[in-house]
Amino acid sequence: MTSTARETEIRDPWQRRVDSGNWDAITAEVNSLGGALLPELLTPGEAEQIRGLYDQAGYFRSTINMKQYRFGEGEYRYFKTPYPQPVERLKQALYPRLLPIARDWWAKLGRPAPWPDTLDEWLRMCHDAGQDRPTAILLRYRAGDWNALHRDLYGDLVFPLQVVIGLDEPDVDYVGGEFVVVEQRPRAQSRATTRRIAKGHGLVFTTRDRPVRSPRGWLRAPMRHGVSTVRSGRRHALGLVFHDAA
């Protein structure tokens, strides 16, 4: 390892972890299925540290009881800014990797792509449009909890991809609780894809829709995501959305 690489590793290990992914393969899978697993983005210790923030109210701007809003069963909390360092650094590192996918999708669908080259510029656009509430979330599910199929839109300005990171180990800390993405395919039955997310690993998936090829060209396939019922244990996850909320 060169001295420059060593300095980068010490200063920003989250950037190195994001860059370690096979982004050609990730892009191909996202294009095909609307989602793809990512490499380990948080160490086990970091995952436990972020999971442990859930009961520290000072890190959050609001708490949502899913049952109250008929979103499912369970609870999640919206972080307030400034984010904890791993949350902020992962958002900054992931955005430029996801940006080419987003721009390619909008080109296929004949839409103008509004996203600038950096996350900070994009968030300034969101804030100027009145979307200034931070959207990174920490989710907690207990046995019997689940999350209804939904989309995290929050306003007119939307980034078409987002990331969820598992903070517990499937089949060790909890059973069930698979991540579910459902695609409404043009002139066909809906297709569901389920994923198990290892502790500290990520999953990138579609926020709203994705392009699918048809005999008439590229069409928009709406997509929603949720979580199946947790059968035992507790499941925590970190959600990274790349647009802020109105």
Side-chain angles (χ1 to χ4, degrees):
M1 181 183 290
T2 66
S3 60
T4 301
R6 192 176 300 110
E7 290 170 4
T8 300
E9 164 66 11
I10 294 171
R11 184 175 63 254
D12 196 346
W14 304 284
Q15 179 75 59
R16 179 191 60 78
R17 295 170 202 162
V18 169
D19 291 345
S20 73
N22 182 339
W23 282 94
D24 288 339
I26 291 168
T27 298
E29 189 168 354
V30 172
N31 285 338
S32 174
L33 296 176
L37 291 170
L38 299 176
E40 184 180 62
L41 302 178
L42 296 171
T43 66
E46 290 168 348
E48 291 162 13
Q49 181 181 33
I50 291 179
R51 183 183 67 196
L53 298 178
Y54 196 91
D55 294 317
Q56 301 183 44
Y59 285 95
F60 304 97
R61 66 173 177 86
S62 65
T63 302
I64 303 297
N65 182 302
M66 293 190 217
K67 185 175 182 179
Q68 179 180 349
Y69 293 95
R70 303 182 70 181
F71 294 164
E73 301 269 355
E75 190 177 82
Y76 58 89
R77 310 192 83 170
Y78 285 100
F79 280 99
K80 65 182 181 182
T81 51
Y83 291 133
Q85 186 183 31
V87 177
E88 176 64 27
R89 292 311 310 152
L90 284 173
K91 289 191 67 171
Q92 292 287 346
L94 285 161
Y95 178 84
R97 289 291 187 174
L98 303 179
L99 184 60
I101 304 173
R103 287 174 169 169
D104 175 61
W105 283 8
W106 257 231
K108 289 173 178 173
L109 293 171
R111 300 170 174 172
W115 312 291
D117 290 340
T118 69
L119 178 61
D120 289 341
E121 292 176 280
W122 168 238
L123 292 180
R124 278 195 293 272
M125 291 173 60
C126 290
H127 297 175
D128 289 345
Q131 295 179 210
D132 58 4
R133 293 190 295 166
T135 50
I137 61 174
L138 192 55
L139 304 102
R140 171 183 284 175
Y141 302 87
R142 294 181 171 88
D145 289 347
W146 55 282
N147 195 348
L149 294 172
H150 66 283
R151 298 168 175 163
D152 299 310
L153 301 180
Y154 301 130
D156 292 333
L157 297 182
V158 174
F159 193 77
L161 295 158
Q162 60 194 88
V163 171
V164 62
I165 301 171
L167 303 179
D168 301 287
E169 197 63 60
D171 294 333
V172 176
D173 298 309
Y174 67 93
V175 176
E178 293 86 2
F179 191 86
V180 182
V181 175
V182 175
E183 175 183 283
Q184 182 182 330
R185 297 183 296 164
R187 296 177 177 82
Q189 298 293 328
S190 296
R191 176 177 67 172
T193 303
T194 62
R195 306 276 189 166
R196 286 157 37 101
I197 306 172
K199 184 177 182 177
H201 289 245
L203 172 74
V204 57
F205 62 97
T206 309
T207 300
R208 180 170 61 187
D209 50 35
R210 72 177 188 91
V212 293
R213 189 185 291 277
S214 79
R216 299 189 300 152
W218 292 99
L219 299 178
R220 178 181 66 90
M223 302 191 72
R224 297 182 294 165
H225 64 276
V227 172
S228 69
T229 301
V230 175
R231 299 196 293 279
S232 65
R234 291 204 307 184
R235 178 189 187 276
H236 298 78
L238 172 65
L240 303 180
V241 179
F242 296 89
H243 49 269
D244 280 350

